[in-house]
Amino acid sequence: MRFSEGPPSVSSNSNQEWLLRAEQVLAGGVSSQFRRGEALVFHYGRGSHFWDVDGREYLDYTLSQGPLIHGHSPMAILDRVQQGLQHGMIYSGIHPEEVELAEKLTSIIPGADQVRFSCTGSEADHAAMRLARAYTGRSKIIKFEGHYHGWYDTIVGSINPSLDEAGSKDQPSTVPWTGGLATGSLDDLIVLPWNCPEAVEKVLSEHGDQIAAIITEPCMCNSGCIEPQPGYLEHLRSLCDQYQVILIFDEVITGFRLALGGAQQRYHVMPDLSVFGKAVAGGFPISVLAGRRHVMDALTDGRAIHAGTLNAHLPAVSACLASIELLEEDDSRRIRGLETYTKALMKGIREISTALGLPVWIQGPGPVFHMGFLREGVQSPPSISDYRSVVQAYDTSRYGQFVEKMKAEGIRLIGRGIWYTSTAHTQEDLNSTLAACDSVMRTMVSG
Ligand code: PMP
């Protein structure tokens, strides 16, 4: 693998030394649960590549769990941020770029008449649910098994439950993700299977007048990158209309990856509220709560409160504007390039694994997809439509071996099977990824 611009200097401490130091002073050695077990110490990133402190170069498909849609340190974004910083950072008021960004977002996101900014996806999801409760005067929220909507207390039910504790398929138990929850914090959560309209219909027909919102990833990226079955999102939309329930799309992963207007644009279904994060600012910390005006009115008139000292921090706002401009350039040339790259990557991996007789299954909407090894006895094509079928279909330890072997080849992947691509990935990256896949899969066949 070759990359023209290498790191300026390598840290004097080794990866191992930094990890030991980190373990002493960072709880668990990391700053987020999702980095545990996968940590290497990185110190430089450019485009689709990054380097660890031992000077090892990696081609990156983690993209920091999604945000780096233009790769590491894209100059157009950094220049814009630096220009903005000449003026200031944050004011206790509003600033022109914040208004320009809100105008831009309301023009590109179909379900956005108005927006509010926060810093993380978790915060914006939390705000969306509070707003839905305030607007409807109801308290219960429907979420789907295997979906993730941030780490706040009232929504961390059944994110990745074991099948032993998950309860029956039609009426799943609400399994807490973590200890330390406030008493009763999951009491208003109803967990249902994804892609099963009958389950939603049943709950709404029995308890519709208590349900404030249905929150869903429009494509279930956090568990297997499963797309909605034809008509499913439309069905949710019409049930929400019938029972006057707020439909929330959590677009934290799909936002600006599936289309400039998000999954709602790609699937032609309009939510009442939607939440964007991760890739919207190419790696800067900003999230967006977007919604229809009549619902957002509950923020305007103070029925629901949303706040945040660092909301609309100027560098993140500038980065978001710059990232959108890059995506819009030349009639969305970069988005098309991203799709073309990812389709070729998915097709190439499929061809290699098929030729070697490996039971690999790849699915997803494109610039984010899932790859896994099917367990013995699972038919191909597998029937994967919800969280339980994901758990039953994939052999996660075999995928773990694949990830380790790819790391040794200089390709960095996320352990749970999600691949993210960026507009910075090149034909050369595609070739080297497929060559590495071929050699790794050969060792898996022979070993
Ligand atoms: N929603 C979804 C769909 C996510 O995937 C994530 C993060 N993985 C979040 C919300 C939470 O976002 P953040 O980590 O920025 O709080």
Side-chain angles (χ1 to χ4, degrees):
M1 205 164 44
R2 187 187 60 76
F3 192 66
S4 51
E5 200 185 342
S9 70
V10 173
S11 157
S12 56
N13 286 62
S14 71
N15 198 73
Q16 200 49 37
E17 286 162 342
W18 280 113
L19 285 176
L20 288 173
R21 281 174 66 177
E23 272 166 24
Q24 295 306 312
V25 287
L26 291 169
V30 288
S31 295
S32 165
Q33 173 73 14
F34 292 103
R35 298 177 196 168
R36 292 194 83 158
E38 301 194 359
L40 283 176
V41 187
F42 296 104
H43 77 128
Y44 192 79
R46 279 291 179 278
S48 52
H49 293 231
F50 60 167
W51 285 258
D52 71 14
V53 287
D54 290 339
R56 272 192 302 260
E57 180 180 354
Y58 296 90
L59 172 52
D60 191 10
Y61 288 103
T62 72
L63 299 176
S64 200
Q65 306 275 348
L68 304 177
I69 194 166
H70 300 294
H72 293 263
S73 307
M75 280 309 154
I77 294 186
L78 296 188
D79 285 348
R80 183 74 172 258
V81 168
Q82 265 156 13
Q83 274 168 31
L85 280 170
Q86 307 299 314
H87 299 272
M89 290 191 303
I90 182 100
Y91 319 100
S92 174
I94 54 174
H95 52 82
E97 286 206 284
E98 177 180 358
V99 181
E100 280 168 22
L101 178 59
E103 286 168 352
K104 172 61 77 183
L105 291 166
T106 51
S107 75
I108 62 178
I109 300 170
D113 295 329
Q114 289 192 319
V115 297
R116 269 285 178 100
F117 298 114
S118 299
C119 297
T120 68
S122 301
E123 273 179 277
D125 274 329
H126 191 64
M129 289 181 281
R130 176 178 294 177
L131 176 53
R133 287 184 166 115
Y135 178 82
T136 58
R138 304 169 179 174
S139 62
K140 297 213 178 284
I141 304 271
I142 293 176
K143 69 123 9 200
F144 298 98
E145 209 170 42
H147 289 226
Y148 181 68
H149 305 294
W151 60 277
Y152 287 6
D153 279 20
T154 56
I155 192 65
V156 285
S158 300
I159 290 167
N160 52 5
S162 74
L163 295 188
D164 291 340
E165 55 186 353
S168 77
K169 184 172 167 27
D170 298 340
Q171 281 187 309
S173 316
T174 302
V175 181
W177 188 51
T178 171
L181 297 180
T183 308
S185 52
L186 293 176
D187 286 358
D188 278 334
L189 199 60
I190 299 173
V191 176
L192 294 179
W194 158 251
N195 257 336
C196 175
E198 299 77 25
V200 181
E201 249 169 59
K202 182 165 183 296
V203 168
L204 287 179
S205 66
E206 289 166 5
H207 309 289
D209 59 351
Q210 297 168 41
I211 314 278
I214 297 178
I215 184 165
T216 182
E217 295 181 51
C219 168
M220 186 163 85
C221 296
N222 273 293
S223 296
C225 274
I226 300 169
E227 293 203 68
Q229 285 179 348
Y232 180 64
L233 294 179
E234 290 82 347
H235 203 106
L236 290 184
R237 177 67 272 173
S238 72
L239 284 171
C240 284
D241 290 341
Q242 186 182 344
Y243 290 95
Q244 290 163 11
V245 167
I246 298 294
L247 180 60
I248 307 173
F249 278 2
D250 182 341
E251 300 239 31
V252 168
I253 291 182
T254 52
F256 305 165
R257 280 189 174 274
L258 270 57
L260 200 47
Q264 54 196 274
Q265 182 184 336
R266 168 117 156 206
Y267 298 131
H268 305 290
V269 177
M270 181 108 85
D272 300 299
L273 295 175
S274 43
V275 173
F276 294 79
K278 290 197 193 267
V280 290
F284 279 77
I286 191 167
S287 58
V288 183
L289 166 61
R292 313 304 314 276
R293 187 177 302 273
H294 61 101
V295 185
M296 298 296 273
D297 277 348
L299 288 175
T300 306
D301 65 22
R303 273 173 286 163
I305 290 178
H306 156 258
T309 306
L310 292 172
N311 293 354
H313 198 252
L314 186 53
V317 168
S318 308
C320 196
L321 277 166
S323 177
I324 293 170
E325 274 166 23
L326 283 176
L327 290 173
E328 280 183 322
E329 217 174 63
D330 297 343
D331 205 13
S332 302
R333 171 180 62 84
R334 283 174 214 263
I335 294 188
R336 286 198 307 279
L338 191 57
E339 281 171 1
T340 308
Y341 182 95
T342 321
K343 273 191 192 137
L345 179 61
M346 292 166 82
K347 180 167 173 278
I349 301 172
R350 274 192 199 112
E351 283 171 359
I352 292 166
S353 56
T354 306
L356 293 170
L358 278 173
V360 166
W361 187 251
I362 297 180
Q363 66 178 12
V368 50
F369 67 90
H370 180 272
M371 171 189 167
F373 289 81
L374 297 177
R375 287 181 200 274
E376 228 168 274
V378 175
Q379 298 291 325
S380 190
S383 145
I384 301 177
S385 59
D386 61 5
Y387 171 72
R388 294 185 190 208
S389 48
V390 171
V391 175
Q392 280 155 352
Y394 292 118
D395 178 343
T396 48
S397 77
R398 203 157 188 211
Y399 189 72
Q401 291 160 16
F402 175 74
V403 170
E404 278 308 305
K405 286 172 187 279
M406 288 293 277
K407 189 163 95 182
E409 297 279 330
I411 315 258
R412 182 94 168 129
L413 305 174
I414 295 174
R416 63 200 179 105
I418 301 191
W419 291 53
Y420 289 106
T421 48
S422 80
T423 61
H425 282 84
T426 62
Q427 183 63 42
E428 197 181 340
D429 293 334
L430 180 65
N431 297 344
S432 58
T433 309
L434 294 180
C437 258
D438 188 74
S439 100
V440 162
M441 286 186 176
R442 278 177 198 282
T443 66
M444 292 179 79
V445 172
S446 59

